[in-house]
Amino acid sequence: MFLREVRFADWPENGGYPFDMRAFAGLDRIDTSRFLTFFVGENGSGKSTLLEAIALTAGFNPEGGGMGSTFETFSSESVLHDHVRLSWLPRIRSGHFFRAESFFNVATYLESIKHEPGANFEAFGGRSPHEQSHGESFFNLFRHRLGHHKKSLYLMDEPEAALSPARQLALLCLLREHERAGASQFIIATHSPILLAYPGAALFNFDASPLCAIEWQETSHYQITRRFLTAPEHMFAELFREDDHVE
């Protein structure tokens, strides 16, 4: 794949957030040379922060969209991207940055310019995302915006946020189509044990310090989900255990 490596340079000492996050402690580089790389970890572990930094360094809008998009509704990106270097072979200038948290802002922006020349909703199946359910608009964007045959980098932050389990399986099929076509590369931050199971993907655990490679079955997402589905009554007994009453 063409984005071979993410490197970190000129790391400030005592720089505060986000440089003091445990996942980044002593971190030098990350190998991103596979077709699909996953960032996995708890909320606040740094997954989205690093994905955003990669997106900004690659030329994406911090709120999402294609490379070179210039719209702005609300943006509060970290300064991490100033210290990220990307190793390309070759340099790619096509793709899309999807982030669930700002998807509504992107959809609202597109709605506001729908009467301008050249504006359309082809990326959403021909309909405004505000005229679709949240999950429908997510999946239609994935299906219609992510092209198979042009060399492209796709960055996705929690794409499962509005997708049912069935739609997550459908997203796995879309990823497989891209892998077979051989023109795309994906980096995805996710909590979904379904998506994390994709065969041959590289997984990086942001709960470790520094972040490191991990196998699907070793992730807390897989282990907690498996425990719950296998014996929910045991999980409930543990979760709902009454503490000793204290007067």
Side-chain angles (χ1 to χ4, degrees), residues 16 49 135 151 176 191 213 218 245:
T49 302
K151 286 186 179 294
R176 184 61 170 170
H191 295 290
E218 296 174 346
H245 182 67

Side-chain angles (χ1 to χ4, degrees), residues 213-227:
I214 191 172
E215 296 297 323
W216 171 57
Q217 295 92 337
E218 296 174 346
T219 65
S220 61
H221 302 63
Y222 169 85
Q223 293 178 358
I224 291 172
T225 302
R226 184 176 184 274
R227 283 179 58 203

Side-chain angles (χ1 to χ4, degrees), residues 5-9 11 23-31 83 85 210-211:
E5 189 177 68
V6 176
R7 293 180 288 106
F8 302 90
W11 208 254
F24 303 145
L27 194 62
D28 179 53
R29 63 191 68 222
I30 301 174
D31 182 347
H83 303 271
R85 306 290 183 266
L211 65 87

Side-chain angles (χ1 to χ4, degrees), residues 7-242:
R7 293 180 288 106
F8 302 90
D10 303 321
W11 208 254
E13 295 185 10
N14 303 317
Y17 176 84
F19 307 103
D20 58 358
M21 301 185 77
R22 292 181 64 253
F24 303 145
L27 194 62
D28 179 53
R29 63 191 68 222
I30 301 174
D31 182 347
T32 56
S33 58
R34 296 195 196 182
F35 157 73
L36 175 57
T37 297
F38 283 117
F39 292 167
V40 58
E42 261 300 337
N43 295 328
S45 60
K47 306 182 306 299
S48 298
T49 302
L50 180 55
L51 191 70
E52 176 191 82
I54 294 171
L56 286 166
T57 306
F60 291 103
N61 187 307
E63 293 185 76
M67 288 190 181
S69 296
T70 57
F71 71 91
E72 181 176 354
T73 57
F74 175 77
S75 181
S76 59
E77 65 270 14
S78 78
V79 297
L80 182 62
H81 67 277
D82 291 330
H83 303 271
V84 166
R85 306 290 183 266
L86 304 181
S87 297
W88 302 89
L89 188 65
R91 175 72 166 87
I92 298 300
R93 302 187 183 278
S94 176
H96 194 88
F97 177 31
F98 170 86
R99 57 189 319 176
E101 69 176 23
S102 59
F103 181 82
F104 180 84
N105 295 348
V106 175
T108 300
Y109 168 76
L110 293 174
E111 185 74 26
S112 72
I113 64 168
K114 66 181 180 181
H115 297 300
E116 295 184 9
N120 59 64
F121 294 111
E122 290 181 4
F124 296 91
R127 295 165 55 207
S128 166
H130 286 314
E131 297 175 0
Q132 307 175 48
S133 75
H134 206 182
E136 284 179 319
S137 60
F138 271 40
F139 192 74
N140 279 330
L141 175 64
F142 302 152
R143 184 169 56 185
H144 296 285
R145 176 63 181 84
L146 279 56
H148 292 163
H149 304 296
K150 183 178 181 180
K151 286 186 179 294
S152 299
L153 174 65
Y154 296 114
L155 307 177
M156 307 175 81
D157 189 11
E158 300 186 7
E160 77 281 5
L163 299 182
S164 69
R167 288 292 195 183
Q168 291 181 46
L169 294 175
L171 179 55
L172 290 178
C173 292
L174 283 179
L175 291 171
R176 184 61 170 170
E177 292 175 13
H178 278 266
E179 184 174 20
R180 286 173 175 164
S184 308
Q185 185 176 7
F186 287 80
I187 301 178
I188 301 176
T190 184
H191 295 290
S192 168
I194 293 176
L195 297 184
L196 290 170
Y198 191 92
L203 279 65
F204 286 104
N205 178 23
F206 279 65
D207 292 330
S209 182
L211 65 87
C212 61
I214 191 172
E215 296 297 323
W216 171 57
Q217 295 92 337
E218 296 174 346
T219 65
S220 61
H221 302 63
Y222 169 85
Q223 293 178 358
I224 291 172
T225 302
R226 184 176 184 274
R227 283 179 58 203
F228 184 85
L229 295 178
T230 301
E233 66 281 3
H234 294 162
M235 185 71 82
F236 283 132
E238 182 178 335
L239 290 172
F240 301 158
R241 183 178 63 248
E242 294 186 6

